[in-house]
Amino acid sequence: MEGQGFVHKPVLLYETVGSLNIKPGGIYVDGTLGGGGHAYEVCKRLGSGRLIGIDQDGDAIRAASERLTPFADKVSIVRSNYENIEEVLADLHIDKVDGIYLDLGVSSYQLDTPSRGFSYREDAPLDMRMDDRQDRTAADIVNTYDEGELYRIIRDYGEDRFAKNIAKHIVRAREEKPIETTGELAELIKAAIPAKVRATGGHPAKRTFQAIRIELNRELDVLEHSIDAMIRLLAPEGRLSIITFHSLEDRIVKASFRRNESPCICPPDFPVCVCGRVSMGKVITRKPILPSQKELEDNSRAASAKLRVFERAAGELPPQ
């Protein structure tokens, strides 16, 4: 089974599980199930409760199903994107849940499996799909986006100061032949970056690969359009915990949590609120929770992780 090779060391594991204030009889949703690392720890704390695991990656679904076999009587696993959480829960006849958590970004398994096309360190087909049921791949973006579009995503999603030159190199190269592999793309990016810059910092292709992956999988759009819905699905005092891995994700989570805590849009000089918008709850983490020094020593991929937590207000809220 291909899924058996799915290895992913869960980041901020005990901090995330602890942040959910798990009740033995509660219902919890893992929106990015992966290999089931966080889910396993949640299930250990459940009695009569239930865990709903969602992931769009078929390999993750297979691996997590196997890992969570000891808890089969309390786990429902669904292959979908967490942006469909409302439909997933409706199909399971669930109205409210006690906690939802997301571990965003790309998994170690996806990065370390060359055939998935996420890694710039291996030469493989330029794929990067988190859900292999979709038709479009990273190769389609690289070979069909015009120079302006490539520049935009590399600048905005990769935050690469050489975005313009990288886009130019890609367009020039594909005029000769389509760019089909991760190795070809990585070499092009390398050539677009000054040698003295390549000699310092991380791999020169890292930011561009991140940008293309985010664009292909709509990662930021999905996150931005899902947070409000997830908060609405929480039972009173239920919690939403989200682990991010770069500033773009963290900015969205931070802003969305603040807006749900303080939604008033009245001008500052109004003596009383007249917009009628009601707070959905409170931000638990004024500053994000970061990995411990020990975790950083054990897992270098945890370096950029940040955990933010939101708690739904007690009592019933009026319809939004």
Side-chain angles (χ1 to χ4, degrees):
M1 180 192 295
E2 189 179 357
Q4 286 180 320
F6 200 111
V7 177
H8 177 66
K9 188 176 286 190
V11 172
L12 290 164
L13 174 59
Y14 296 106
E15 293 88 345
T16 302
V17 175
S19 75
L20 295 168
N21 282 350
I22 291 174
K23 298 183 287 191
I27 301 174
Y28 298 87
V29 180
D30 185 330
T32 50
L33 186 59
H38 289 96
Y40 193 92
E41 289 299 321
V42 170
C43 287
K44 279 165 59 176
R45 292 159 173 76
L46 294 178
S48 60
R50 189 174 179 188
L51 176 81
I52 318 304
I54 303 171
D55 206 292
Q56 59 186 327
D57 189 314
D59 290 344
I61 292 290
R62 288 186 285 274
S65 297
E66 184 176 324
R67 185 168 191 177
L68 299 175
T69 299
F71 309 106
D73 61 327
K74 61 189 68 176
V75 174
S76 299
I77 295 177
V78 180
R79 186 175 183 187
S80 186
N81 189 307
Y82 69 80
E83 71 177 324
N84 303 317
I85 186 170
E86 290 172 294
E87 292 88 341
V88 169
L89 293 179
D91 287 345
L92 295 169
H93 307 291
I94 295 171
D95 295 324
K96 296 289 181 185
V97 298
D98 298 287
I100 302 170
Y101 57 100
L102 304 176
D103 177 5
L104 300 175
V106 64
S107 73
S108 301
Y109 170 81
Q110 290 165 332
L111 284 171
D112 296 339
T113 303
S115 63
R116 298 297 299 269
F118 285 96
S119 177
Y120 41 77
R121 300 186 186 280
E122 305 278 353
D123 192 28
L126 199 49
D127 194 323
M128 298 194 202
R129 289 173 298 172
M130 288 184 173
D131 186 341
D132 63 9
R133 296 172 299 181
Q134 75 176 55
D135 295 328
R136 193 170 69 149
T137 69
D140 294 314
I141 289 174
V142 170
N143 289 294
T144 65
Y145 276 32
D146 66 32
E147 188 173 326
E149 290 173 314
L150 289 170
Y151 165 61
R152 175 187 60 79
I153 67 168
I154 297 168
R155 178 197 64 195
D156 294 351
Y157 298 163
E159 299 179 297
D160 196 312
R161 61 191 169 120
F162 299 106
K164 190 175 284 291
N165 206 33
I166 293 168
K168 191 176 295 183
H169 272 67
I170 289 172
V171 171
R172 191 183 302 151
R174 76 189 192 196
E175 288 172 356
E176 302 294 321
K177 66 174 282 298
I179 301 162
E180 297 174 336
T181 72
T182 53
E184 289 175 58
L185 180 59
E187 284 302 311
L188 280 171
I189 297 165
K190 194 174 172 183
I193 294 175
K196 62 181 180 182
V197 176
R198 293 202 307 265
T200 61
H203 195 288
K206 181 177 181 179
R207 291 175 179 272
T208 298
F209 270 60
Q210 171 183 294
I212 293 168
R213 189 200 83 218
I214 288 172
E215 171 73 7
L216 176 67
N217 296 291
R218 303 169 36 249
E219 293 173 40
L220 299 182
D221 289 342
V222 168
L223 178 63
E224 194 158 22
H225 297 144
S226 300
I227 292 176
D228 289 357
M230 289 190 285
I231 290 174
R232 286 196 302 271
L233 287 166
L234 292 173
E237 298 185 321
R239 288 189 170 186
L240 170 60
S241 301
I242 303 179
I243 304 169
T244 62
F245 286 89
H246 53 74
S247 60
L248 300 171
E249 293 172 336
D250 185 57
R251 213 173 294 152
I252 290 170
V253 174
K254 184 178 180 182
S256 297
F257 281 7
R258 279 184 175 173
R259 187 184 68 254
N260 275 278
E261 181 179 58
S262 305
C264 178
I265 55 172
C266 295
D269 56 348
F270 272 32
V272 293
C273 172
V274 295
C275 72
R277 298 195 176 198
V278 177
S279 173
M280 295 294 288
K282 62 184 178 182
V283 178
I284 299 297
T285 46
R286 291 301 157 188
K287 290 185 176 179
I289 297 169
L290 304 176
S292 66
Q293 188 57 42
K294 184 178 186 313
E295 179 167 11
L296 293 174
E297 290 167 3
D298 293 344
N299 184 9
S300 61
R301 286 178 176 165
S304 56
K306 293 179 178 179
L307 170 65
R308 293 187 186 272
V309 184
F310 185 91
E311 182 176 283
R312 175 77 186 250
E316 287 303 315
L317 294 171
Q320 295 295 300

